[in-house]
Amino acid sequence: MKARIRKVVTVVDETHTELGRPVSPPIRRAAAVAVIANPFAGKYQEDLSELIDIGEELGDLLGRHALAALGIEGEAVQGYGKAAAVGEDGELEHAAAILHPKLGAPLRKLLGKAPALIPSSKKRGPLGVVLDVPLGHKAAAYVRSHFDGMEVRISDAPRAGEIVVAVALTSGGRPLPRVGGLTHAEVKGEDGLR
């Protein structure tokens, strides 16, 4: 593995009630987060292919961790998202190189039919910076009930020369959605939109 991983942390959030109303089945969200060394910390590097390859590795590794934490088959996952934060000696393009060119393909392979764009965010921050992982439906971007987010943080990361990378998966959308639009049951999943 090209990534020099310091640690992997997995977080599970399970909602059973919302404002006193039952959520049945409970909505489960899991995020797997890796803290890795940034090979280009503190220097400008034109060719970011090493980080792009690391992104591919992490798409599979973090996807497997999050899927195991959810405790469901990949086909049953409804939503997903990704995020990264670079330490102070990194640049946003380092996070982009990990998240965009190759991370999605191995993650989608674990989940079955998942043609929708994987929502993402990136930032630079200090130790304990909060990552807001945006979430969306895996097969259809227009499913409003799945527009959501999951907050994760690692108290001792990223150090100046590190990158924190997160993949989040969900068993459903927001608890008790009621703002209309395309529903999960109506998804065709052919073009990633509807």
Side-chain angles (χ1 to χ4, degrees):
M1 183 168 248
K2 288 185 179 183
R4 290 186 4 241
I5 298 173
R6 180 162 65 91
K7 64 166 67 177
V8 174
V9 176
T10 305
V11 178
V12 178
D13 175 316
E14 185 172 290
T15 302
H16 291 263
T17 64
E18 185 75 15
L19 290 175
R21 294 188 172 268
V23 176
S24 183
I27 301 296
R28 291 175 54 85
R29 302 182 304 177
V33 187
V35 178
I36 67 167
N38 182 348
F40 305 130
K43 62 184 176 188
Y44 179 82
Q45 173 69 31
E46 186 66 35
D47 179 2
L48 299 177
S49 57
E50 183 176 348
L51 288 173
I52 291 169
D53 291 343
I54 286 171
E56 184 174 30
E57 293 175 342
L58 293 179
D60 181 68
L61 176 77
L62 297 177
R64 289 182 187 281
H65 276 266
L67 193 56
L70 272 186
I72 60 178
E73 296 296 320
E75 302 287 333
V77 168
Q78 290 187 21
Y80 55 16
K82 58 188 178 180
V86 295
E88 66 184 69
D89 289 342
E91 62 174 302
L92 288 180
E93 200 64 7
H94 298 160
I98 287 176
L99 293 178
H100 298 305
K102 291 187 178 179
L103 185 143
L107 179 59
R108 285 183 172 92
K109 186 175 178 183
L110 295 171
L111 305 180
K113 195 171 189 178
L117 180 75
I118 304 171
S120 68
S121 70
K122 62 197 74 55
K123 66 191 331 180
R124 178 184 292 118
L127 294 176
V129 67
V130 174
L131 272 179
D132 291 305
V133 185
L135 298 169
H137 196 281
K138 75 173 186 176
Y142 290 133
V143 180
R144 287 185 207 146
S145 59
H146 288 58
F147 296 169
D148 200 359
M150 184 173 183
E151 198 175 88
V152 294
R153 68 182 284 276
I154 307 298
S155 62
D156 66 345
R159 295 174 182 162
E162 292 181 330
I163 306 172
V164 177
V165 183
V167 166
L169 304 175
T170 70
S171 67
R174 295 184 313 278
L176 311 176
R178 52 197 184 279
V179 296
L182 186 68
T183 68
H184 172 71
E186 297 168 333
V187 168
K188 290 188 174 70
E190 295 163 3
D191 61 2
L193 299 175
R194 299 183 189 283

